[in-house]
Amino acid sequence: MMAIAINRYSKNCGDTTASRREGTAVFFRFAQRSLGISQGSARYYIRCYQRFGDNPEAMSVFTFSELRILLAKHVTAEHIAAMVRAKSENATMTREAFTGHLKSLLEQTSDGSSAFRQLPRGGNSDNRPSANH
């Protein structure tokens, strides 16, 4: 939807930075008014779609909050696959158990401890965005 808004503004007003920014602003106003989500939450939804949109297993197994955690730049495809397996085996996994399991996976890599510090905090344990984002 954001791409549609940007493309429409670029087509009507020329492909400029200003028209792309206005198209983006229109999308975020739509998200806030129609969907009831903040610009921060909309950005997270977009990032989750960009990273996990071609991974139907991850999209069906994880909550939005868990997907946000997995957006950390040091989380690899192998980590995600391992987390899919763990979550599939324990669908009622708590957020604490989820982050603990991911932390142990990250610590098995050479830079895992620094990667865990970059994991986002906040959010709910369900699919709804947190009030802060």
Side-chain angles (χ1 to χ4, degrees), residues 36-42 44-45 64 68 120-123 129-133:
I37 60 174
S38 68
Q39 181 173 334
S41 289
Y44 271 118
Y45 279 115
F64 175 64
R68 285 183 54 202
R121 300 189 192 281
S130 70
N132 298 337
H133 292 90

Side-chain angles (χ1 to χ4, degrees), residues 48-67:
C48 285
Y49 175 76
Q50 289 170 335
R51 176 107 187 247
F52 305 108
D54 61 351
N55 186 341
E57 239 183 337
M59 295 292 282
S60 66
V61 171
F62 299 126
T63 64
F64 175 64
S65 177
E66 292 164 343
L67 289 172

